Structure formats: structure tokens, C-alpha cells
Amino acid sequence: MRAKFWQLERALQFGPPELKSPTCCVVCINGDAALFEDAVHAARKSLFQATTCLSAVPVYAIWTEYRNTYAEIRAVKDELKELIAKSDRSEAAIKGSEAAIKELSAKSDRSEAAIKGSEAAIKELSAKSDRNEAAIKGSEAAIKELSAKSDRNEAAIKELSDKLMEMMALNTRDAEVINTTLKVLQALVLSGEMIGEALVPYYRQILPIFSIFKQCCPSTFDQIDYAQRKRNNLGELIDETLEIFEIHGGEDAFINIKYMIPTYESCMLG
């Protein structure tokens, strides 16, 4: 009853001009019929005591057993919206759970793969130690062989190159082994006039490891780098080897080196 009076008061004050001087006002009330009379008496008493627009016009209260259909429809719509929102939140929660399950299963797979990878790395390290010792011994033997035989033909060079690759001296990717192998290759090229040109066809097997370790020049800051005197600086030794390849490899040497190592710049220009 109070809410309906408030709505009528607002309509009389702020509504269209034809509502500001009404003949009467009618309030339709639904609900408990037994309480209707009490509500009417209370409303009459409050209207007589108030100084509002409604106090100046007759107000009639009518009771009906029918409820406000529009209010019910609005309530049903609100409940439906709330149910839809709950359904959306439930679907989002289900999708989030599925994604979490997938992520956990993926993490489990990655963990298993990491464990297997660690086991494989341990085995590889143990095997690598044996290969490094064999590669160093093979490189030392190659140096002795070069010092004993200065003249090489193409077949002998091919055999020695195959021997180096079989020993996996470069492919071990061990700095000490690669260092020794580079010195072997330098000695090989410098041991005869045509050996550098004969090695050009084998650049595809030799130079990929050069490209990986070419920039390997550790920063010493303000300390003295004794590796230069001992020729143990891998990056500088690779540059030195490439320059020897270019100088003694003939006219096709630079093109083939540049193809395998794009960052290489010729030492014979300018």
C-alpha cells in the first residue's frame, strides 16, 4: 500500500499535466483479503494526516484476488536470467577443470620425457668420455702421420677426412677435441700445395661445427687471456682455420665457406 501511494504521489508531482489535477485516484491491491480492511484504515489515517498531493483528491482502494501478471512475468524473467548465468558459470568451471586436467596430464608427460632425457644424457656423457679419448688419440696420430708423409694425393686426403669423420672428432662438440682437430686440419692443409683445394668438396661435412662454435670467444673482462698464447681460444682458432682454408683452397674455397658460414668475411679482399 505504501509503495503504491508513493508511485501515485510521484505521478501527480512529475507526471504529464493531465495527471496533476485528477478527479480521483484508485489503488488496486491484491493479497490477503482478511488484511485488506486493516490496510485501508491505516492508509486513510496516514492520508488525512499528510500534506501531500494525494490528500487533496479522493483515493479509492480496491481489492482483487488476481495477482499482478506483469510482476510475475518479470520475476520469472529474472529467475531465468539468474539460471542462465549460473549455467554459464558452471560451463566455464567445467571447461576450466578440463583444461586443468589436460595441463596436468601434459605436465606428467613432460616430466616422464624429462626423466627419460636425463637418463639418456647420463648415458651419452659416459659414452662421450670414451669417444673424446679416442678422438684425441686419433688426432695425435693424424698429426704424426702428416709429419711423416708430406706428399698427399686426393685418395689419401679422402681417406684421412673419412677417418676424422669416423672418429667423430668434430661431432663430439667437445671444446678440447675440436681444438685438437682444428690444428690437425691446419697441418693437413699446410702439408702440401694441392691439399687445400682437395678438401673443398668436404666442407659440407667439416664446416657445420665451425658455424656453431665460430662466436665462441669467452669474455675475460680485465683479466689476461692465456688461451691466446696456448692457441686454445676456440673462436679465434676457427677463424684462423677458415682463413687457411680460403688461402690454400683455390678460387672456389671462399664461395663454399660463405655458403656454409654466411657470417664469414674474406681475408683476401683489400
Side-chain angles (χ1 to χ4, degrees):
M1 180 75 78
R2 183 182 301 172
K4 291 184 181 292
F5 283 164
W6 181 81
Q7 292 175 359
L8 287 173
E9 182 72 22
R10 298 286 291 180
L12 292 174
Q13 289 182 5
F14 305 105
E18 58 269 19
L19 291 181
K20 292 186 178 181
S21 57
T23 303
C24 67
C25 294
V26 179
V27 179
C28 184
I29 303 173
N30 56 358
D32 190 353
L35 299 177
F36 175 70
E37 291 294 335
D38 296 336
V40 170
H41 289 303
R44 184 183 296 116
K45 183 178 179 181
S46 63
L47 285 175
F48 284 144
Q49 295 176 354
T51 57
T52 60
C53 296
L54 287 175
S55 301
V57 296
V59 180
Y60 298 94
I62 301 174
W63 178 84
T64 176
E65 61 180 348
Y66 299 103
R67 297 187 62 190
N68 190 340
T69 306
Y70 296 103
E72 288 189 355
I73 294 174
R74 188 179 299 111
V76 171
K77 287 183 178 180
D78 292 340
E79 290 181 1
L80 183 60
K81 288 181 180 178
E82 186 176 357
L83 288 174
I84 292 173
K86 287 182 178 180
S87 176
D88 293 339
R89 289 195 297 269
S90 299
E91 290 180 0
I94 292 171
K95 290 181 180 178
S97 299
E98 292 177 352
I101 291 171
K102 290 181 180 179
E103 185 178 359
L104 287 174
S105 60
K107 285 183 178 179
S108 177
D109 295 338
R110 289 196 297 269
S111 299
E112 292 180 359
I115 292 172
K116 292 181 180 179
S118 300
E119 293 176 351
I122 293 172
K123 292 180 181 179
E124 183 178 356
L125 286 173
S126 61
K128 180 180 177 181
S129 177
D130 298 335
R131 289 199 301 270
N132 290 350
E133 292 180 2
I136 293 173
K137 291 180 180 179
S139 299
E140 293 174 351
I143 293 175
K144 292 180 181 179
E145 183 178 356
L146 286 172
S147 61
K149 299 179 180 179
S150 59
D151 296 329
R152 297 291 186 186
N153 54 27
E154 189 172 351
I157 293 170
K158 181 178 183 303
E159 181 181 356
L160 185 56
S161 298
D162 292 341
K163 182 178 180 181
L164 287 173
M165 295 308 297
E166 288 175 2
M167 289 188 301
M168 298 178 68
L170 289 175
N171 288 334
T172 58
R173 302 195 181 190
D174 183 271
E176 183 180 357
V177 177
I178 294 175
N179 186 295
T180 305
T181 306
L182 290 174
K183 295 176 182 178
V184 171
L185 290 172
Q186 290 184 15
L188 176 64
V189 174
L190 297 175
S191 64
E193 294 182 358
M194 303 299 293
I195 295 178
E197 297 182 15
L199 274 179
V200 173
Y202 304 101
Y203 284 176
R204 291 179 181 271
Q205 289 78 30
I206 298 173
L207 298 185
I209 301 300
F210 285 31
S211 179
I212 296 174
F213 291 92
K214 187 175 185 299
Q215 303 300 327
C216 184
C217 294
S219 176
T220 58
F221 297 99
D222 58 345
Q223 299 178 358
I224 299 175
D225 185 10
Y226 294 100
Q228 293 180 340
R229 178 174 59 84
K230 298 178 181 179
R231 297 184 71 212
N232 290 332
N233 191 312
L234 194 56
E236 294 183 358
L237 195 58
I238 288 175
D239 290 336
E240 180 183 330
T241 306
L242 291 174
E243 291 177 359
I244 292 175
F245 279 8
E246 182 185 1
I247 294 171
H248 298 276
E251 59 183 8
D252 295 331
F254 173 71
I255 297 175
N256 285 272
I257 295 173
K258 188 71 174 178
Y259 177 77
M260 298 302 298
I261 306 176
T263 58
Y264 176 75
E265 299 294 336
S266 176
C267 65
M268 300 180 67
L269 298 178

